[in-house]
Amino acid sequence: MIPIIAIDGPTASGKGTVAQRVAQQLGFHYLDSGALYRLVGLASQQSGIEFLEPLLLKELCLHMEIEFRDGGIFLGKEDVTEAIRTEEMGKRASSAGAVPEVREALIQVQKSFLKPPGLVADGRDMGSVIFPQAQLKVFLTADAKIRAQRRYKQLIAKGISANIDILTKDLVERDLRDTQRETAPLVQSEDAFLLDTSDQTIEEAVNRIIGLYQQIK
Ligand code: C5P
């Protein structure tokens, strides 16, 4: 069986960076499932499709030409690596993620990332829905205020202006929508290991996950 490490958790918990480094260190493939929902957010905006039109959204998902290449993300021929990272696309991704037809349409593309020698998958429902067979499931989280501060620093470092109060409010709203939606809500599965990174560095979280993986493999 191809080994899978599923890392789920709320927004700005550090999942993306941690999951990418774990994948790098183990030589595994990496799935950033949030990027797929962000792509739906962007593609639907470009085509003027609203979130109340689930069938149109489903068609859009099934026909999106997505490519992860050279460390970048492409929608058709357009390099959208940066365009999908904005707060606006985060919100649109969260609205898209609440539509069951979108979630269903993205199942196959997510599963197609599973290839030898192994996969680290990061998202909200990796361990609960997409890869329930994962050998290691981690629920990575951190205090909401700390997550908002991390997001703030990231944005400022990129030269994007940000307001910490608005960021905190948006983050709490997004957590609520992600945990309360009917299809595949963000939950810690019973068999997931809880890792709270409020007081941890990225390095510590990465080492902890690799340590856990070495123990079970
Ligand atoms: O992880 P990221 O912040 O890029 O995800 C953006 C949004 O996409 C999340 O807030 C969530 O609503 C949605 N998402 C999801 N299921 C996943 C990954 C992301 O619903 N597996």
Side-chain angles (χ1 to χ4, degrees):
M1 231 201 320
I2 307 171
I4 306 170
I5 301 178
I7 305 182
D8 290 303
T11 191
S13 55
K15 267 180 308 123
T17 315
V18 169
Q20 242 170 321
R21 291 205 194 167
V22 171
Q24 233 168 29
Q25 288 194 24
L26 294 172
F28 283 8
H29 298 280
Y30 168 59
L31 165 62
D32 172 3
S33 63
L36 298 175
Y37 288 89
R38 287 172 181 269
L39 283 163
V40 179
L42 180 66
S44 60
Q45 188 184 52
Q46 289 177 346
S47 337
I49 299 176
E50 289 310 318
F51 296 111
L52 297 173
E53 300 173 311
L55 294 180
L56 288 181
L57 277 175
K58 184 175 176 181
E59 279 304 301
L60 178 91
C61 294
L62 294 174
H63 295 104
M64 272 192 320
E65 285 174 32
I66 306 170
E67 216 186 331
F68 289 77
R69 143 162 75 86
D70 308 328
I73 302 176
F74 292 78
L75 184 60
K77 289 197 168 58
E78 190 188 353
D79 181 345
V80 295
T81 318
E82 291 301 321
I84 60 167
R85 293 293 153 206
T86 61
E87 286 303 293
E88 187 193 0
M89 284 312 142
K91 281 192 219 169
R92 287 189 68 86
S94 175
S95 299
V99 179
E101 286 82 354
V102 169
R103 305 204 73 82
E104 203 197 311
L106 293 181
I107 291 176
Q108 271 322 313
V109 54
Q110 293 177 86
K111 290 194 170 168
S112 73
F113 277 77
L114 180 55
K115 290 186 190 130
L119 177 70
V120 179
D122 131 33
R124 304 294 186 288
D125 60 345
M126 297 297 98
S128 55
V129 177
I130 306 294
F131 301 113
Q133 77 276 31
Q135 283 79 357
L136 175 63
K137 298 180 186 178
V138 177
F139 191 83
L140 199 82
T141 188
D143 182 78
K145 279 206 174 117
I146 291 181
R147 288 188 281 126
Q149 276 162 12
R150 287 179 184 164
R151 173 64 47 84
Y152 179 79
K153 280 189 196 154
Q154 269 174 4
L155 291 171
I156 297 296
K158 282 190 196 166
I160 303 171
S161 69
N163 174 303
I164 188 87
D165 293 332
I166 296 176
L167 278 178
T168 311
K169 186 174 149 281
D170 281 356
L171 187 137
V172 169
E173 266 174 29
R174 186 122 68 95
D175 281 357
L176 257 182
R177 195 164 36 217
D178 288 353
T179 49
Q180 296 191 347
R181 68 178 173 227
E182 285 192 11
T183 315
L186 170 67
V187 278
Q188 184 193 342
S189 340
E190 271 178 25
D191 51 353
F193 181 87
L194 175 67
L195 194 58
D196 187 324
T197 65
S198 301
D199 302 316
Q200 273 189 345
T201 63
I202 299 277
E203 232 47 64
E204 285 169 330
V206 170
N207 291 338
R208 185 80 181 101
I209 295 175
I210 290 185
L212 285 167
Y213 178 65
Q214 308 291 10
Q215 278 172 27
I216 54 130
K217 88 170 176 168

